């Protein structure tokens, strides 16, 4: 089997089940954003993160893959892999990281150690994916649990970045804003 099919040469691609749509269809855009996020999580993992967070990130990657598959199904016949327990687990991870990390007292500029900087990139790509999902929800069904999960995920990446800098003894770059 060849990797290339030439089926997309005219700007069309297939959804789950074979329905052909334009490559600029919002469902394809959302799947692309989720795929990009998944790739960035893979890069983040390559920098080395604590074992507990590595397990969380691998689970996130698996769920993002399933969410993308569900959102690219035009008939909505795929059962969701997401549960409220997945959201609760992510919230628990956020709470744990917050307990282990000093709370910032100002705005924080993205950066620090390589893993923290990549976690900030994951955060911003997550927010873009969330915006795409909201746009998609105006035309197609989007599982509310998927929206909640992706919303929590950006919070997770923010606190993970803070934690990775803290455990690496790297001080956050702070932004002080004058209100004059």
């Amino acid at each position: 089997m060849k990797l290339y099919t030439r089926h997309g040469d005219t700007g069309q691609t297939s959804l789950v089940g074979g329905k052909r749509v334009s490559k600029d269809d919002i469902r394809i855009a959302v799947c692309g954003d989720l795929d990009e996020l998944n790739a960035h999580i893979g890069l983040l993992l390559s920098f080395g993160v604590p074992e507990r967070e590595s397990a969380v990130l691998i689970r996130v990657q698996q769920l993002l893959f399933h969410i993308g598959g569900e959102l690219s199904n035009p008939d909505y016949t795929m059962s969701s892999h997401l549960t409220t327990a997945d959201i609760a687990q992510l919230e628990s991870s956020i709470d744990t990281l917050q307990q282990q990390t000093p709370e910032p007292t100002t705005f924080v500029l993205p950066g620090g150690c390589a893993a923290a900087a990549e976690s900030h990139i994951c955060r911003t790509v997550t927010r873009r994916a969330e915006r795409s999902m909201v746009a998609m929800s105006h035309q197609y069904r989007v599982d509310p649990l998927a929206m909640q999960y992706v919303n929590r995920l950006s919070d997770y990446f923010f606190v993970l970045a803070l934690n990775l800098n803290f455990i690496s003894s790297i001080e956050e770059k702070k932004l002080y804003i004058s209100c004059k």
Side-chain angles (χ1 to χ4, degrees):
M1 179 176 164
K2 291 186 178 190
L3 183 62
Y4 57 89
T5 63
R6 297 185 176 119
H7 293 222
D9 291 352
T10 61
Q12 298 279 309
T13 192
S14 296
L15 296 173
V16 171
K19 180 180 179 183
R20 302 290 290 168
V21 296
S22 175
K23 288 186 178 184
D24 67 356
D25 185 286
I26 187 64
R27 294 168 291 192
I28 302 306
V30 169
C31 290
D33 289 343
L34 294 173
D35 187 37
E36 182 181 351
L37 175 57
N38 218 329
H40 275 291
I41 295 169
L43 181 59
L44 174 57
L45 285 164
S46 77
F47 290 124
V49 297
E51 190 174 323
R52 180 186 184 282
E53 299 317 311
S54 179
V56 171
L57 290 168
I58 290 168
R59 176 69 178 148
V60 167
Q61 284 187 298
Q62 293 166 344
L63 288 173
L64 289 175
F65 190 86
H66 288 297
I67 291 169
E70 293 159 12
L71 293 177
S72 67
N73 183 349
D75 300 323
Y76 312 109
T77 55
M78 295 177 72
S79 60
S80 179
H81 286 79
L82 264 180
T83 66
T84 55
D86 294 312
I87 295 169
Q89 183 207 15
L90 196 55
E91 290 173 344
S92 176
S93 295
I94 292 168
D95 294 342
T96 299
L97 287 169
Q98 279 190 287
Q99 291 168 0
Q100 299 170 352
T101 310
E103 189 172 333
T105 56
T106 64
F107 287 103
V108 173
L109 295 173
C113 69
E118 183 59 25
S119 189
H120 279 294
I121 291 172
C122 289
R123 173 183 55 81
T124 62
V125 175
T126 301
R127 287 189 174 165
R128 179 170 15 103
E130 182 181 20
R131 290 188 302 271
S132 295
M133 289 172 69
V134 169
M136 180 179 165
S137 74
H138 298 301
Q139 296 177 331
Y140 303 100
R141 182 187 169 281
V142 175
D143 182 357
L145 287 179
M147 296 281 282
Q148 290 174 23
Y149 189 79
V150 172
N151 182 267
R152 293 304 179 288
L153 196 52
S154 64
D155 296 331
Y156 171 79
F157 286 121
F158 178 74
V159 73
L160 177 61
L162 295 177
N163 182 265
L164 291 168
N165 279 334
F166 176 70
I167 64 176
S168 298
S169 300
I170 295 177
E171 191 171 327
E172 296 291 345
K173 292 184 270 178
K174 297 174 181 164
L175 175 65
Y176 298 96
I177 297 177
S178 173
C179 295
K180 292 183 182 182

